[in-house]
Structures are given as C-alpha cells and as structure tokens.
Amino acid sequence: FQACVYFASVFQAMSCGIHYLASVFMAVTPNFVCGFPGNVSSVLFHNSSASSIEDIWTLWTSTENYIVVQLENGEIWELDQCSRSKREVSLDLTYEYKGNKSVFPCSDGFLYDDTKWKSTVVTQWDLVCDREWLAKLIQPTFMLGVLIGAVIFGDIADRLGRQRVIWFTSAGQFVFGTAVAFTFDYYSFVIVRFLLAMVSSGYLVVAFVYVTEFVGIKARTWASMHVHAFFAMGIMIVALVGFLVRTWWVYQIFLSIATLPFVLCCWMLPETPFWLLSEERYEDAQKVIDTMARWNKVSTPCKVSELCSVQQDDLASGRTGDNDTSSTKKHNILDLFCNWQIARRTITVWLIWFTGSLGYYVFSLSSVSLGGNEYLNLFLIGAVELPCYIIACLAMDKLGRRNTLIPFLILSALICVLIMFIPQDFNILIILANMAGKFSIGVAFGLIYLYTAELYPTIVRSLAVGSGSMMCRVGSVVAPFCVYLRSIWIFMPLLLVGIMALLSGILTIMLPETLGKPLTNTLVEATEMGRSKKSCSEKTPPAHSGAALEKIEMFGQERVGTDK
C-alpha cells in the first residue's frame, strides 16, 4: 500500500522539475537583427552573399555582426541587432561603407533565426533590446511564485489536510501549465506562470510531507531523498521534449500533459492517518489503517483506540512534574540566535541552504550555454542527480552528516575554479566538469534537511527547518540573476557559487556531528552538543519522556526534505 501511494505521489514530482526548468528552452533568445522596410533582393554578410537572410544565419558568429541588405527599390540598409542604418549613397553593394548613414529604430520589428526554434516567447513578443529585461524576469518571477506557494500551501495543508492540497495543486499544474500555452501577451504569460509556480511548489512541499507520513521508518530516509530523483527526471524530460518540439506553446502543452495521468487518479489517494489523528477524526483514521492492513495482508491491524490511550498516558506522565515548566511557550526566529553557539550554527546552516539552492540552479540553468548540444547538456545535468542521492544516503549514514557535507561543498568550489581554467574549445571536458559540480552540490543540497533537523532541539526544530527552507528559496530567486552575469564575465556565476561553497564548507567544520546522537529537546542540550558552556538565558521545557521521546526520535531522525 505504501509503495503504491509513494510512487503515485512522486510521479507528479516530475512535473515540478519540468515546470521549474521549462524556461531554459521556452525563453531562448535566438540570433536576430532589425527588420527592414520592403522586399529584399540580395543579402551580404562579410564576403558571403545570399538571396535571403535565412541563408546567412549559419555564418552568424557574434552579436557585434551586422547584415547588409539591398531592397528591390535600390536602397541599401545595414541591419544591427537593435538599430538599422540607411546608406545615403547606394551605388555598390559592399560590406564596408565609410559614407554617410541615417540611423533608424527597429520600427518594422525584428528578424529571428528560426533554424533551432521556430518560435519562443522572446520571438513571440519581441523581448529583445530595450525589452530584454522582460525576458530576464521570466525565471525570477517563477521562482518568486515558488517561494510564496510553498509558504501558502504548506500552511493550508496543515489546516485542511494533505489530500485536498495534493488534489488542488496537481490539478492546478495541469490547468495552469496548459493555460500558459494560450496566453495572449507577455504579462498574462508571466501571471499564469506565477500561478503555475505556486501550485508546483505547493505540491512538492506537501507531497514530501504526504509520503513521509506513509512510508515506514526504515525506508523513510531513502524514500524522502529520492523525491529529488523524480524531480531530476522531470529535468531530463524537459531536455527530451525540447529536442523534439521547437515551437514554445506546443512544447508547453506537451510538458503539461505529463501531469495528466496523476490528475486522473489522484482523487483515489487517501488522507494520511497522522493528520486525521491530529484533527481527532479517529474513525476516518481507522478506515485508512484498515485499508492499509487489507492491502498489506496484515491479520492484526493497529487500533486507533490503543494509540490514543498510549498517547494520553504519555501526556499524563509528562505533566506529573512541574506544571509551570510544562506550559507551552511560543518560540520565534530570535530563539535561533539565543547565544553565540546557536547563532553561529544558524548562520552557517542558512548559508548552506542558500548555497545549495544557488549552485543547483546555476549549474542547471547555465547547462544550455556550455556549447555542444544544449539538449544533451541539460539531460546529463539532470541524469547526474540520480546516483548523487544514492551516494548521499550511503555517505551520511557511514561517514556522518558533517563529514559528508564538508568535502562535497569544498569539492564543488574546487570544480568551479577548475572549469575556469578549461579552454573553451574543450566542450566535452567543460560539460563533464559541470556534471561533477552539479553532482557535488546535489549531495550537499540533499542532506541539509536531515542535518538541520538534527542540529536543533525539538522546541525550535520546525522553525529551524522552515527558516532554512526560506533561505533555499531566496537562493532559487537569486540564481537566474546570477546566471545573467555571464554577459559581464562568462565565469562570474561559477566564481560566485565557488566562493559561497568554499565559505560554507569552511564554516561547516565548526558544526557538531549528529550521526548516532539522540535528538535534543532543549536549547541548553543543543548548545552542549556544540561543546559550548554557554546556554540560553530563558527557561526551556523539559525533555519528553517514555514513548513520547521515542516517537520524536522515530520521526525526527529520518526526516529529509525535497524543497527545490
């Protein structure tokens, strides 16, 4: 039963990977020049002549190039990317001209190279020259929707249940994903994509919680970690569809169809017993447990009444001590900075979250600009994640969380530096180095959820993971702007990622190892785990006892997230 629920849920995670990276081909800016007023009779580019501009694109090598065209009325025009010049003296058709020219804006539109892509959103709405900034906002606005969607739907899932949110967000991915293809202008395109980002992010966050609450403890680490792998498969599908379909709105429809099978069957998924119990819907929880028992052929299924009686006994025994200390105290973000030890830990963890997300998307988004076949590049960048998470699971249980995180962060920084020294003609070597960089940053990004949960005590654990998750999303918003810095210096994105990864790796050395250690329950215990004599000045609740502590250990140690 759990296996069916798991694979049905993570199948839809592929659509999240699809929509997150769809813009790498949908918003491509091909070679272009200004349009001209009239019919062309001949075209000249350096020493090559042709009867149409389409024959010239194969010779285009730089944005600084221009094309000379002669119209049927005898006028000769020089076509640049963002302007055009009319020669005052049009006797001979030559490429070099020293005479007087009149400069005009591109009032007749633009001519685009359609040898690779028949249509993109850039060519659809002329997002070039003074409108180029609109094209560069496509991915950042999507990532902003990812940030907002995760916050909104995460809260709704706690209030209304995981099942309803999974229904709504999966249907929303299909509806909004298809609607993107039929938008009538740039602004409606961005708005619909923003809504698509919200439901995609909401699904990914809630689906992780959903499968975590169904999968057993022994498989929880691997199952949770490999939701990332299905996200990576979505990236591979983007590369495949991009290779086969070269018109952006058809490409978007094909990508959205991938969500349809799940939309048709997601209504069959049950609500999680954990949420039903938290809402005191005991009869509904018992029905789900009985269904699980029937599927798994368990002769003596668990009884909700027995679980409730054990929980009440634990609560009663926990309250036999000091009533004042057992009262619930609300905690806020300042508790993550209650002393120097915890504050330094928080800053380091936030930096790792930010760096992991930044590096993940910089390597992914820039893969299409590495040279060679851009579709194969993106496919390989997605495929390299599949073994990455297997290595992460094995290493963090054998070597430890910190001892795995440090070398892979530093390795990713070294790879960023190495790529800068590889000659640009060695395309295969550059692609392999970028794959290695994505692999190393992926390992670090994959295990930071579990490590964060283990570094903080019970009373602020959710707050710590949630705040780190927000830093992760900030990194995903910044990543597209970082990639655009290639126009300033081709290695600028790698330099920034390398510096952040190196700094994160060095600071991680000061974090405590958590492998094999019990989860802490108070800020005092968490501080002592860092071998610091300082403690928080506030009074913290006592540790839970008996089965309650065992339950915290059971569900806390294995928790790994999928917040892309």
Side-chain angles (χ1 to χ4, degrees):
F1 182 90
Q2 288 91 329
C4 291
V5 168
Y6 175 77
F7 285 107
S9 302
V10 298
F11 173 82
Q12 184 72 354
M14 288 193 298
S15 67
C16 299
I18 287 172
H19 294 305
Y20 276 41
L21 273 297
S23 67
V24 295
F25 295 131
M26 187 164 51
V28 170
T29 302
N31 296 326
F32 67 94
V33 293
C34 262
F36 45 83
N39 298 321
V40 64
S41 61
S42 57
V43 181
L44 187 64
F45 182 74
H46 291 294
N47 296 324
S48 301
S49 60
S51 58
S52 65
I53 292 183
E54 287 74 14
D55 300 327
I56 295 295
W57 291 125
T58 56
L59 306 175
W60 189 275
T61 57
S62 172
T63 58
E64 297 179 358
N65 292 330
Y66 63 91
I67 296 175
V68 179
V69 297
Q70 186 173 32
L71 305 183
E72 291 180 350
N73 60 9
E75 295 179 351
I76 298 178
W77 290 79
E78 293 182 7
L79 307 179
D80 291 302
Q81 283 202 318
C82 296
S83 65
R84 56 185 180 172
S85 305
K86 179 183 176 182
R87 294 179 179 178
E88 298 296 338
V89 179
S90 54
L91 297 177
D92 298 322
L93 181 61
T94 59
Y95 193 74
E96 299 292 339
Y97 177 75
K98 303 296 184 182
N100 295 328
K101 293 181 289 186
S102 299
V103 180
F104 297 90
C106 300
S107 55
D108 292 295
F110 299 88
L111 301 173
Y112 296 97
D113 178 8
D114 61 358
T115 53
K116 283 189 176 182
W117 277 84
K118 299 301 181 183
S119 173
T120 71
V121 295
V122 173
T123 64
Q124 180 87 17
W125 297 304
D126 288 336
L127 305 181
V128 293
C129 297
D130 58 340
R131 288 167 56 85
E132 181 183 9
W133 65 276
L134 294 174
K136 291 185 175 181
L137 283 180
I138 290 175
Q139 189 65 17
T141 53
F142 184 91
M143 288 303 182
L144 183 61
V146 168
L147 190 156
I148 296 174
V151 175
I152 292 176
F153 287 107
D155 181 65
I156 294 176
D158 288 337
R159 297 173 183 270
L160 302 181
R162 289 78 163 100
Q163 182 192 49
R164 293 180 182 177
V165 173
I166 283 180
W167 289 355
F168 178 81
T169 54
S170 57
Q173 285 188 81
F174 176 73
V175 172
F176 292 129
T178 306
V180 167
F182 297 97
T183 49
F184 51 86
D185 63 5
Y186 170 80
Y187 298 102
S188 62
F189 171 81
V190 170
I191 291 172
V192 177
R193 283 257 304 169
F194 183 85
L195 297 175
L196 175 61
M198 290 180 61
V199 295
S200 297
S201 174
Y203 180 86
L204 197 60
V205 170
V206 177
F208 160 70
V209 176
Y210 186 77
V211 299
T212 300
E213 292 179 350
F214 266 112
V215 176
I217 288 179
K218 292 182 179 180
R220 187 168 293 143
T221 297
W222 284 77
S224 300
M225 182 73 80
H226 280 81
V227 177
H228 289 288
F230 283 88
F231 185 95
M233 291 174 63
I235 298 176
M236 297 162 66
I237 291 174
V238 170
L240 180 61
V241 175
F243 176 74
L244 297 175
V245 183
R246 306 299 177 90
T247 302
W248 78 267
W249 59 271
V250 180
Y251 160 85
Q252 178 65 30
I253 290 176
F254 272 94
L255 292 179
S256 300
I257 289 175
T259 67
L260 187 57
F262 183 79
V263 173
L264 296 178
C265 68
C266 68
W267 60 271
M268 300 171 62
L269 294 177
E271 184 57 81
T272 68
F274 286 96
W275 185 82
L276 292 172
L277 288 173
S278 69
E279 295 294 310
E280 299 182 354
R281 293 168 56 181
Y282 302 120
E283 292 183 3
D284 293 333
Q286 186 65 60
K287 290 179 182 178
V288 176
I289 293 173
D290 291 341
T291 302
M292 295 170 66
R294 266 196 319 273
W295 277 57
N296 296 336
K297 297 180 180 180
V298 176
S299 57
T300 56
C302 176
K303 298 297 182 182
V304 170
S305 57
E306 297 174 1
L307 290 176
C308 293
S309 63
V310 171
Q311 185 179 28
Q312 289 173 357
D313 291 341
D314 281 334
L315 291 173
S317 63
R319 289 169 181 165
T320 57
D322 188 358
N323 291 329
D324 293 334
T325 60
S326 63
S327 60
T328 302
K329 179 186 184 302
K330 291 185 178 181
H331 295 271
N332 54 50
I333 198 71
L334 296 179
D335 291 304
L336 301 180
F337 298 88
C338 66
N339 62 31
W340 167 243
Q341 185 76 10
I342 298 297
R344 186 176 61 185
R345 186 178 305 176
T346 299
I347 293 172
T348 302
V349 167
W350 282 3
L351 185 63
I352 297 171
W353 280 90
F354 178 85
T355 302
S357 180
L358 180 69
Y360 183 92
Y361 285 106
V362 165
F363 280 115
S364 298
L365 295 173
S366 61
S367 62
V368 296
S369 305
L370 299 177
N373 189 310
E374 58 265 42
Y375 308 104
L376 180 60
N377 294 351
L378 184 64
F379 184 89
L380 293 176
I381 284 293
V384 77
E385 288 189 56
L386 302 183
C388 153
Y389 301 122
I390 298 176
I391 297 298
C393 288
L394 294 174
M396 68 182 182
D397 286 337
K398 299 294 183 181
L399 303 178
R401 285 71 159 120
R402 183 186 64 179
N403 295 336
T404 300
L405 193 58
I406 293 171
F408 278 102
L409 282 172
I410 295 178
L411 177 62
S412 61
L414 294 177
I415 291 173
C416 289
V417 175
L418 176 64
I419 295 174
M420 298 181 192
F421 291 95
I422 300 176
Q424 292 300 296
D425 296 335
F426 290 66
N427 288 335
I428 295 179
L429 192 57
I430 292 175
I431 293 169
L432 291 176
N434 274 270
M435 290 176 63
K438 177 69 177 296
F439 181 93
S440 57
I441 205 71
V443 172
F445 193 27
L447 67 85
I448 186 58
Y449 270 87
L450 177 61
Y451 194 29
T452 302
E454 294 176 339
L455 283 172
Y456 290 89
T458 302
I459 58 175
V460 293
R461 185 170 295 122
S462 295
L463 187 63
V465 175
S467 63
S469 175
M470 291 300 295
M471 293 303 299
C472 161
R473 297 182 185 114
V474 171
S476 66
V477 173
V478 173
F481 294 107
C482 186
V483 173
Y484 297 149
L485 294 177
R486 285 175 60 91
S487 59
I488 298 176
W489 184 42
I490 190 172
F491 296 123
M492 184 64 76
L494 290 173
L495 178 63
L496 295 177
V497 172
I499 292 174
M500 298 296 292
L502 180 62
L503 180 60
S504 300
I506 294 174
L507 291 177
T508 304
I509 297 174
M510 297 183 289
L511 295 179
E513 179 56 71
T514 59
L515 178 63
K517 295 182 180 180
L519 294 179
T520 57
N521 296 291
T522 68
L523 287 165
V524 174
E525 293 175 4
T527 304
E528 291 175 352
M529 183 174 63
R531 295 182 180 180
S532 172
K533 299 300 182 181
K534 297 180 180 180
S535 62
C536 299
S537 59
E538 67 176 359
K539 193 174 186 180
T540 55
H544 296 272
S545 60
L549 177 58
E550 183 179 353
K551 189 177 294 185
I552 293 173
E553 290 283 345
M554 186 172 62
F555 292 105
Q557 284 184 333
E558 302 292 343
R559 182 152 186 166
V560 185
T562 60
D563 186 1
K564 290 291 184 181

